[in-house]
Amino acid sequence: MKALVKQEAKTGLWLKDVPEPEIGINDVLIKVKRTAICGTDMHIWNWDAWAQKNIPVPMVVGHEFVGEIVEVGSNVNDFHPGQIVSGEGHVVCGRCRNCMAGRRHLCAHTSGIGVNRPGSFAEYVSLPMANIWVHRDDIDLDVAALFDPFGNAVHTALSFPVLGEDVLIAGAGPIGIMAAAVCRHAGARHVVITDINPERLRLAVKMGATRGVDVRTEKLADVQKELGMTEGFDVGLEMSGNPSAFRDLLENLCHGAKVAMLGIPSGEVAIDWNTVIFKMLTIKGIYGREMYDTWYKMSTMIDSGLDLRPIITHRLPYAEFADGFDAMNSGKAAKVILDWSK
Ligand code: NAD
Ligand code: ZN
């Protein structure tokens, strides 16, 4: 089968013929229909320090996908060929205390598809049945391909109640933008999002943010006044990984505010802990998606009218993958879909 492979320890990916994955008795074989390019894939493409440390070569990469089940292992009774599915990219151990208690997102022994085990930028991918999420048959396939990062957005955005609250999101990357859409859908009042990229801020507003703030030219304190806010934001979502964005976020929260942290900083970040203490903030780290509460909410929010389609800026046949990676590197793209049927 065709697959995008990290074949050499340098920039790029290579379209290769590799053997089809074999399935064990508890596994499901999926014919991939669409994939999306994630920030993690960009690290792997660009072969930065993180990728050099974490990605074995060769490796079939990719983890954002939707496909159709074509074969199931002999132990698999709940899934059948023809179903349209995505996969939870974190394969958990199933045996640790958290897994045994049903808190699988807290497993300390996860292995990631397209990072530690063969991924979905391929014609076929194999996954344990415990990682399968079934979509309704008529779901928009491009949207279904986004469930992995959409899940990051939902997990973070719904970590604390947002109904009637004012939410501040740092970082209008694809995940920040989807989080803005989720907060609006879930009944937040003001959803203010920051970035340094005007195009991304425009897209965020198109998808439901009340106000995009370019932090190079505007101050959040002024935006609060403009919106008639007097006490600060109730909920903060850190989705930039940028230290100054995080500090700015903390400064603009109300007393007792809640903060969910998804963005991954490249190193240690210093903050003024007095702010955390005297404002009595709650800060929660977020990794991946809750299995499978987040997935359930994703499906029901799509069913109840949440529209993710505007986040897709590029659709390409898989053989034109290099154009997709270039678009992502240019900062002009939000989500790039690769079509594996073409
Ligand atoms: P992204 O890199 O596309 O988005 C980050 C955005 O932050 C960019 O648009 C960038 O312009 C913006 N930014 C940079 N400096 C800023 C500043 N000073 N103020 C405001 N915004 C600023 O990433 P993404 O794919 O949307 O992911 C968001 C973050 O979440 C990344 O840090 C990513 O590594 C992380 N992530 C974490 C998990 C997890 O499980 N914890 C999963 C996926 C992604
Ligand atoms: Zn575990």
Side-chain angles (χ1 to χ4, degrees):
M1 66 169 184
K2 298 280 187 228
L4 288 183
V5 183
K6 192 76 200 181
Q7 188 70 32
E8 294 177 45
K10 62 180 193 190
T11 304
L13 289 172
W14 290 263
L15 188 59
K16 291 276 174 192
D17 280 305
V18 301
E20 272 178 33
E22 300 195 350
I23 61 166
I25 57 173
N26 294 313
D27 297 338
V28 169
L29 186 67
I30 300 157
K31 181 158 191 356
V32 175
K33 286 179 173 285
R34 307 271 206 283
T35 59
I37 301 177
C38 168
T40 302
D41 304 318
M42 299 311 300
H43 291 292
I44 298 172
W45 172 278
N46 292 326
W47 204 234
D48 65 8
W50 174 85
Q52 290 178 31
K53 189 166 155 226
N54 290 289
I55 307 297
V57 176
M59 172 61 81
V60 176
V61 302
H63 58 274
E64 300 181 356
F65 75 96
V66 62
E68 181 180 338
I69 296 180
V70 287
E71 195 185 333
V72 298
S74 58
N75 260 356
V76 180
N77 297 312
D78 298 331
F79 304 110
H80 56 78
Q83 284 179 308
I84 300 296
V85 299
S86 289
E88 166 54 56
H90 290 175
V91 178
V92 301
C93 78
R95 300 303 311 166
C96 70
R97 176 183 175 177
N98 280 319
C99 280
M100 293 296 280
R103 299 183 295 259
R104 286 182 277 182
H105 64 292
L106 296 179
C107 177
H109 315 285
T110 54
S111 129
I113 74 163
V115 175
N116 314 110
R117 51 181 282 148
S120 63
F121 286 167
E123 288 180 284
Y124 295 93
V125 62
S126 153
L127 268 183
M129 61 174 153
N131 283 62
I132 301 297
W133 185 257
V134 179
H135 295 290
R136 58 179 159 78
D137 286 344
D138 60 348
I139 191 159
D140 182 314
L141 290 177
D142 294 344
V143 167
L146 302 179
F147 264 47
D148 176 293
F150 178 34
N152 295 137
V154 169
H155 186 185
T156 316
L158 301 186
S159 274
F160 300 107
V162 293
L163 175 63
E165 305 287 14
D166 293 331
V167 182
L168 175 57
I169 304 175
I175 300 180
I177 295 175
M178 286 191 278
V182 169
C183 289
R184 287 296 281 184
H185 194 76
R189 182 174 63 167
H190 298 307
V191 181
V192 174
I193 186 163
T194 65
D195 207 288
I196 51 171
N197 178 329
E199 279 173 65
R200 286 186 156 187
L201 288 169
R202 266 196 292 279
L203 185 54
V205 169
K206 184 173 172 193
M207 288 188 65
T210 327
R211 182 73 158 72
V213 179
D214 187 332
V215 293
R216 296 170 307 176
T217 52
E218 290 188 284
K219 293 228 169 312
L220 277 168
D222 296 335
V223 173
Q224 284 199 49
K225 279 197 202 108
E226 170 196 314
L227 295 173
M229 292 173 56
T230 51
E231 308 212 356
F233 291 90
D234 307 292
V235 176
L237 310 179
E238 200 323 282
M239 302 194 141
S240 72
N242 180 285
S244 71
F246 179 40
R247 286 191 280 263
D248 217 14
L249 179 132
L250 294 177
E251 287 307 319
N252 284 278
L253 298 175
C254 69
H255 282 227
K258 318 276 191 244
V259 184
M261 308 258 318
L262 180 91
I264 302 171
S266 55
E268 291 182 6
V269 175
I271 59 168
D272 182 354
W273 283 93
N274 284 294
T275 309
V276 177
I277 293 159
F278 292 113
K279 283 190 176 177
M280 291 165 280
L281 304 179
T282 302
I283 301 182
K284 179 185 177 191
I286 307 286
Y287 182 52
R289 299 142 296 274
E290 286 193 19
M291 297 167 215
Y292 278 82
D293 227 35
T294 303
W295 290 81
Y296 185 86
K297 285 180 177 148
M298 285 191 267
S299 287
T300 55
M301 280 190 287
I302 297 290
D303 286 350
S304 60
L306 180 68
D307 186 6
L308 294 182
R309 287 171 300 178
I311 196 91
I312 300 165
T313 51
H314 296 70
R315 292 176 173 83
L316 298 165
Y318 73 92
E320 294 172 26
F321 64 96
D323 292 345
F325 282 86
D326 286 347
M328 289 292 284
N329 266 332
S330 76
K332 302 270 179 219
K335 289 309 288 188
V336 175
I337 300 285
L338 300 178
D339 186 340
W340 288 79
S341 60
K342 289 183 189 154

